DNA sequence: CTGTTAGCGCTTTCAC
DNA sequence: GTGAAAGCGCTAACAG
């Protein structure tokens, strides 16, 4: 067992209450006594137990963070943003990585509840069946403030910080139109994903607003993964009537598209103009300047932690908070019409 | 306040001890009573408090993980590996991101101690002054099992899972020698970094073993960052007597080298052969096949969690455990001598 | 099989 | 200024 507050109390010949006072800087303590206690703490290498404190105060200084894929830099950035702000507010983070498994999300939620954390920041995974009844029920009966980041959960009206993906899809498409493209395709991710649906919606709106007919043939249904994108692109390149430009809904898929184009010796943007989504750090450096829509995940992280803190601090106010951040467009040249 | 074990006890007309028994599957409980309790738990949506349990049992089911940069996929992989194994052992993870700041590491260590966690898995940052007295003292007086991952801390003999970087440097260099290169350079990171020193050592050994004179001019002192690597390469390309091959000690620097080569219209490996360190996911896809030494960070993560669990489980055995994993060489062609 | 009771380490009145 | 004591929610003997 480690040193406790009582050990310190004995050593300094005071009561544990007094030790507690100097630990928390609460109440008056004679300077002399305080010093004696401080010395005892040093000498015995005492560290107060957050556990005991939590139980006693009926509150922790911990929040939960749930992400679908910790190896993805996008979520790394989110966590970094959360972590920055959490640190500022003296909050610790319990992390769960779900590998996109629904059950793992549910499990994480339950474990976090056991930990009596102050709140949860979560990016739901993009599994096929996010309408799962058990899932929704778990969230609804959680009774802990929860902030969704980046992705929404259908059939709930939860707090969250999101990206305006309709705008993203719109801007991406619009840029291509302004460049003179009229045959514009889009490669989606799984349609169970809100962001993708929204981007698709934005895409359609941009076409409509510019009197370009929507052509269902130009919609390529990907699954966020590189391989599928690669395949789809390969197939696309074989078509006679194919788009001159492509909006690609995720960075992994952008990589797949590029891979296929390279293999077929096609030039970007000459043979196919591209506007992607999400930053791909390494592309510039190898001379591949791909225009993309940028989510600023670190900002999403910061913003969600701020929102959570705001909720925690304002006890009564239980209104639903939703913030929607507009993505940035980063123009690099791959959208050009040549 | 949330529902407690006593609420359940009252509701089910038993004592809290009995409830505890069914919660933990310990001791005998009449099936009928058990059912009554289970119903009460359901009805009241009760979730036991891990806090109270921890205090009572004097042990948590939490470990701490400290990394220098959560946005770096390398550490993401490590965390994923840790997380996989932690999950298997019903352990939660409290995460700290230090941005490579020594003080943040120290702070994290202290906060983790307050949380009475079972153990710590940490990758120390690669700041300049890792010999800091206060730092060493904090670690030594921690009194919590700690596993270092990937990077060691000087002047301590702590448990850890490391990469055999001497071997890495050796193999990288040796491969180039076998290809016929004799003028081989190396780009290091900050020399305060153990891994880099080891790679440099391996580099020297390989040269020696093949009777190639070490040429100090061929050692480029980088700082892990892309920009510096870029500069150094630019400068290198201007030299008349320059190496035909380069061992590059980190992926960021590899990117910098590539960037410079591209800009100068130099070909890999014709103008400069390269063996890098660490995987760069996106390179293959853009047709840049760079040979590299691979750490398998997810394995480091798994292995470190397994080691920690082993330590936790075997109370008495306080011997220092150190495992050294050999890196893999992934040959892609950039090492060729043309 | 089940209840009573004494902690776990800390905070927080309420006295003195 | 300081101490005594109750209590946070749970577990773990020990009785019965």
């Amino acid at each position: 067992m480690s040193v406790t507050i009582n050990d310190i109390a004995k050593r300094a010949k005071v009561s544990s209450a007094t030790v507690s006072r100097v630990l928390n800087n609460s109440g008056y303590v004679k300077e002399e006594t305080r010093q004696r206690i401080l010395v005892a703490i040093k000498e015995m290498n005492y560290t107060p137990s957050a556990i005991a404190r939590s139980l006693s105060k009926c509150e922790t200084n911990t929040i939960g963070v749930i992400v679908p894929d910790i190896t993805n830099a996008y979520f790394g950035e989110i966590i970094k943003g959360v972590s920055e702000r959490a640190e500022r507010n003296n909050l610790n983070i319990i992390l769960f990585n779900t590998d996109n498994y629904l059950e793992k999300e549910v499990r994480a939620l339950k474990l976090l509840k056991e930990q009596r954390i102050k709140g949860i920041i979560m990016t739901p995974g993009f599994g096929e069946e996010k309408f799962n009844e058990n899932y929704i029920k778990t969230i609804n009966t959680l009774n802990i403030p929860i902030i969704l980041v980046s992705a929404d959960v259908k059939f709930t009206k939860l707090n969250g910080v999101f990206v305006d993906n309709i705008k993203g899809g719109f801007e991406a498409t619009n840029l291509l139109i302004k460049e003179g493209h009229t045959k514009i395709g889009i490669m989606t991710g799984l349609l169970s994903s809100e962001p993708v649906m929204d981007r698709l919606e934005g895409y359609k709106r941009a076409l409509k607003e510019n009197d370009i007919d929507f052509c269902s043939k130009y919609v390529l249904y990907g699954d966020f993964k590189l391989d599928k994108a690669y395949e789809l692109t390969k197939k696309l390149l074989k078509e006679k009537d194919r788009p001159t430009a492509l909006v690609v809904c995720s960075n992994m898929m952008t990589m797949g598209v590029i891979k296929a184009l390279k293999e077929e010796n096609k030039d970007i943007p000459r043979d196919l103009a591209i506007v992607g989504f999400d930053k791909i750090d390494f592309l510039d450096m190898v001379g591949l300047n791909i225009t993309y829509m940028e989510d600023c995940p670190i900002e999403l992280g910061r913003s969600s932690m701020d929102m959570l803190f705001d909720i925690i601090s304002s006890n009564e106010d239980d209104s639903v908070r939703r913030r929607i951040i507009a993505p940035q467009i980063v123009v690099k040249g791959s959208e050009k019409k040549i």
Side-chain angles (χ1 to χ4, degrees), chain A:
Chain A
M1 229 66 322
S2 52
V3 184
T4 77
I5 199 173
N6 289 307
D7 299 326
I8 301 298
K10 274 180 204 148
R11 173 77 153 233
K13 301 196 187 309
V14 293
S15 76
S16 63
T18 306
V19 178
S20 176
R21 280 180 195 111
V22 349
L23 249 26
N24 299 288
N25 269 307
S26 62
Y28 294 85
V29 178
K30 208 202 297 176
E31 186 53 27
E32 188 194 317
T33 330
R34 150 183 255 91
Q35 288 308 329
R36 210 158 7 107
I37 292 172
L38 256 19
V39 168
I41 289 176
K42 267 261 149 58
E43 286 177 352
M44 305 189 76
N45 186 26
Y46 167 68
T47 307
S49 159
I51 309 274
R53 174 177 293 155
S54 291
L55 183 59
S56 173
K57 308 226 301 187
C58 288
E59 76 164 14
T60 60
N61 60 339
T62 304
I63 63 159
V65 174
I66 305 176
V67 295
D69 179 11
I70 183 76
T71 68
N72 183 328
Y74 183 83
F75 299 112
E77 298 267 354
I78 289 183
I79 296 176
K80 186 184 165 96
V82 171
S83 161
E84 252 180 37
R85 297 298 221 258
E87 191 182 327
R88 186 187 290 183
N89 297 307
N90 285 309
L91 260 17
N92 294 330
I93 292 174
I94 295 187
L95 176 75
F96 285 95
N97 183 50
T98 66
D99 291 321
N100 255 314
Y101 289 125
L102 213 76
E103 326 87 74
K104 287 204 186 184
E105 259 176 62
V106 172
R107 183 163 179 273
L109 255 11
K110 291 190 172 154
L111 288 172
L112 285 172
K113 184 161 191 187
E114 291 187 357
Q115 297 295 333
R116 299 293 188 264
I117 51 165
K118 274 191 139 84
I120 294 173
I121 292 176
M122 157 166 117
T123 301
F126 30 84
E128 293 276 5
E129 23 123 35
K130 186 79 6 157
F131 328 80
N132 186 303
E133 203 180 319
N134 179 38
Y135 181 82
I136 303 281
K137 193 184 145 208
T138 305
I139 290 195
N140 283 334
T141 60
L142 203 57
N143 217 12
I144 298 177
I146 184 167
I147 313 281
L148 264 22
V149 190
S150 172
D152 208 352
V153 174
K154 287 195 177 167
F155 308 135
T156 61
K157 23 82 198 134
L158 298 169
N159 306 303
V161 179
F162 307 101
V163 176
D164 191 340
N165 284 299
I166 296 184
K167 183 163 184 180
F170 183 92
E171 297 286 356
T173 311
N174 207 41
L175 178 66
L176 290 166
I177 295 171
K178 293 306 168 231
E179 279 294 324
H181 292 281
T182 51
K183 293 159 74 175
I184 301 171
I186 184 168
M187 184 180 290
T188 70
L190 295 175
L191 296 182
S192 52
S193 146
E194 284 265 342
V196 160
M197 289 305 281
D198 286 349
R199 285 168 191 172
L200 185 56
E201 171 65 22
Y203 163 84
K204 288 178 182 168
R205 282 194 202 172
L207 293 183
K208 189 162 193 182
E209 204 163 279
N210 289 277
D211 296 318
I212 299 175
D213 285 338
F214 169 77
C215 171
S216 63
K217 220 180 66 181
Y218 287 172
V219 181
L220 309 180
Y221 295 96
D223 62 357
F224 290 116
K225 301 211 178 108
L226 190 146
D227 291 345
K228 185 71 179 285
Y230 169 83
E231 273 174 40
L232 288 170
T233 309
K234 283 272 193 173
K235 205 183 297 170
L236 182 73
L237 292 175
K238 293 196 180 98
E239 311 264 329
K240 54 228 145 240
D241 172 38
R242 59 182 168 83
T244 61
L246 195 60
V247 173
V248 187
C249 286
S250 87
N251 51 2
M252 275 302 163
M253 294 196 297
T254 304
M255 295 304 314
V257 172
I258 292 173
K259 184 179 177 189
L261 289 171
K262 283 273 158 186
E263 267 189 30
E264 300 288 333
N265 260 311
K266 299 294 185 190
D267 181 69
I268 304 169
R270 183 185 309 279
D271 299 307
L272 190 66
I274 292 181
V275 176
F277 272 83
D278 310 329
K279 184 173 188 176
I280 307 178
D281 278 328
F282 300 129
L283 283 184
D284 308 358
M285 309 168 195
V286 295
L288 270 171
N289 298 304
I290 304 295
T291 295
Y292 60 88
M293 303 300 304
E294 155 86 305
D295 274 11
C296 281
I298 195 171
E299 261 308 310
L300 290 175
R302 289 187 189 126
S303 185
S304 59
M305 181 66 246
D306 289 345
M307 183 181 282
L308 178 55
F309 193 71
D310 181 48
I311 292 178
I312 293 168
S313 307
S314 62
N315 296 341
E316 296 309 312
D317 180 5
D318 62 346
S319 58
V320 173
R321 289 163 173 79
R322 291 177 75 94
R323 178 160 177 223
I324 298 184
I325 299 181
Q328 303 282 321
I329 190 160
V330 183
V331 179
K332 299 262 191 173
S334 68
E335 78 289 353
K336 288 270 181 275
K337 177 143 170 67
I338 302 182

